[in-house]
Amino acid sequence: MISFKKLSPMAFYFISVIAFVLANVIKEQSISVYYLCIVVGLLFFFLGLYKRVRAKK
């Protein structure tokens, strides 16, 4: 199992970009999965941002 503590901020950003792209691809098929992907993308983006800010201290 992968620990989130060991991932770099860049990995979080990459996962969020994948989630946003997947959301745009799935938008027409399933609106609930679309919103789920948007939320996951935002979550990983802010986790990456948080981890980056914490690393600079």
Side-chain angles (χ1 to χ4, degrees):
M1 186 169 184
I2 297 174
S3 174
F4 286 124
K5 292 180 181 179
K6 294 182 181 180
L7 289 176
S8 69
M10 207 59 187
F12 284 109
Y13 294 140
F14 185 67
I15 293 169
S16 72
V17 167
I18 290 173
F20 289 134
V21 169
L22 186 63
N24 283 327
V25 170
I26 293 180
K27 187 176 185 179
E28 299 297 323
Q29 287 86 13
S30 176
I31 197 74
S32 60
V33 177
Y34 167 75
Y35 286 119
L36 178 68
C37 286
I38 292 293
V39 169
V40 168
L42 286 172
L43 177 71
F44 276 99
F45 175 78
F46 285 115
L47 281 173
L49 192 64
Y50 174 75
K51 190 160 178 118
R52 183 175 169 203
V53 169
R54 294 281 296 177
K56 287 187 176 184
K57 287 185 178 182

